[in-house]
Amino acid sequence: MAAGCSKSFTSKYEEELFYDVEFEDFCKSFEFSNSSSCWICNGYYGPSYGEPLCGTCHAFIFPNHPSEEAQGLVTEFSDDEDSGNDEPPENGSEAKDRDDEDGGGGGSADSDVERPRPSAPRNLNQYLDMLSQPRDSDECQQKICSLPVEVLLSIFSYLDDLSLWNVSEVCKQWKRILEVHTPQQMWKKYTKERWPLFQQISTIPNWLHMYGALMNSCFCRTCLIQMAMKTPMAMGRVNHIRANRLRSDIRSLDLDATEGIDAVALDNQLFHWQASILGPAGSPYEGGKFFLYIVIPCSYPMLPPQVRFLTKIVHPNVSRHGDVGIDIIQHNWSLALTISKLLLSVQSLLTDPFTQICMEPELGRMYEADRPKFEALARRWTWKYAMYEVLPPLEGLF
């Protein structure tokens, strides 16, 4: 139905339901243009394997290590307030989740076994070396699936949780092995570790499925690995300006918490953060909880943080990689802006997209030319990827 349809509705719910049915086939089959190849090089440097960026482009634009803009600067807290040996400051949501985990019943002894940390993604030099050297063809005919379960479990024991979940996606046999032989408490632990702002509202029958659903709801798995690694900054002289400002930002998040806004530091140096935003009421994102990855640079607050959506979202100002196209983190950054104000600006962007300059021009054109169609698509993605706290995934549907 055209955007200028004169059909009248008795309520907003009736209107949304009508357009959800009208554009159901379009929403089910929607894909970004050229989604089968890298968004940046269009496959020139190699396949992207379902990711928005190939490994080479990701390593060039989003390197694993902090930029060298202020190498040698490090944030430390004084002994009278926060020690560098302490855990990172936690807000109410993180403390609540940790309390729930500590008192949440006894799992098996296997759940207490620590798995290896995630391996770092290849850096740019490694990718360039791979591109410049020919690869020998693999003519091995042996099938790893023919190995006994005991051998497979021994191999899997050397994998970190992110790699172990990737193993479960290889075939139904391996997924079944992990469902039977890995404890639910372990997957619950790693779900809360990778998504510390995730709150268990309803009963979750299978934590492996929840972990997998949250993984599949993310734009870029390489960003998840970078967030899980929490790469430390280069040690050097203390950056007191950054430390004092971040301490003030944490107080602002704790004491003046805004409805639908939350953020927590993931490392002691307050370099890696995870944030969450609730979809604004009255928007097609209402009811959804969107996770974001924030990287605080060495020279903050002189330079703005890097902000990326982890949760998939359809929006003209959010790229298929999760990058946010908002002027205050591009070229209009101000020292008066804090982390909470930055998140508020991103949340307000969900209500009022700026379509004159878009990260995804096709979505901007759809928003301007056919608003009901765009909102139907945005609602469907919100239900599909951003509502797992209230609607746990069903087996086989994530």
Side-chain angles (χ1 to χ4, degrees), residues 21 68 138 162 176:
V21 175
E68 301 298 329
D138 186 3
L162 297 172
R176 181 60 181 167

Coordinates of all heavy atoms in Angstrom, one line a residue, residues 21 68 138 162 176:
V21 N 1.2 -6.5 8.7 CA 0.7 -7.5 7.8 C 0.9 -7.1 6.4 O 1.3 -8.0 5.6 CB -0.8 -7.8 8.1 CG1 -1.4 -8.8 7.1 CG2 -1.0 -8.3 9.5
E68 N 47.3 5.4 18.7 CA 48.5 5.9 19.3 C 48.5 7.4 19.4 O 49.5 8.1 19.6 CB 49.7 5.5 18.4 CG 49.9 4.0 18.2 CD 50.1 3.3 19.5 OE1 50.7 3.9 20.4 OE2 49.7 2.2 19.6
D138 N 43.8 -27.4 0.4 CA 43.7 -28.4 1.5 C 43.0 -29.6 0.8 O 41.8 -29.6 0.5 CB 42.8 -27.9 2.6 CG 42.8 -28.8 3.8 OD1 43.4 -29.9 3.7 OD2 42.1 -28.5 4.8
L162 N 33.4 -17.8 23.1 CA 32.9 -17.3 21.8 C 33.2 -18.3 20.7 O 32.4 -18.6 19.9 CB 33.6 -16.0 21.5 CG 33.3 -14.8 22.4 CD1 34.3 -13.6 22.1 CD2 31.9 -14.4 22.3
R176 N 24.4 -30.5 19.4 CA 23.8 -31.4 20.4 C 24.8 -31.9 21.4 O 24.4 -32.0 22.6 CB 23.2 -32.6 19.6 CG 22.6 -33.7 20.5 CD 21.4 -33.1 21.2 NE 20.7 -34.1 22.1 CZ 19.9 -33.8 23.0 NH1 19.5 -32.5 23.3 NH2 19.3 -34.7 23.8

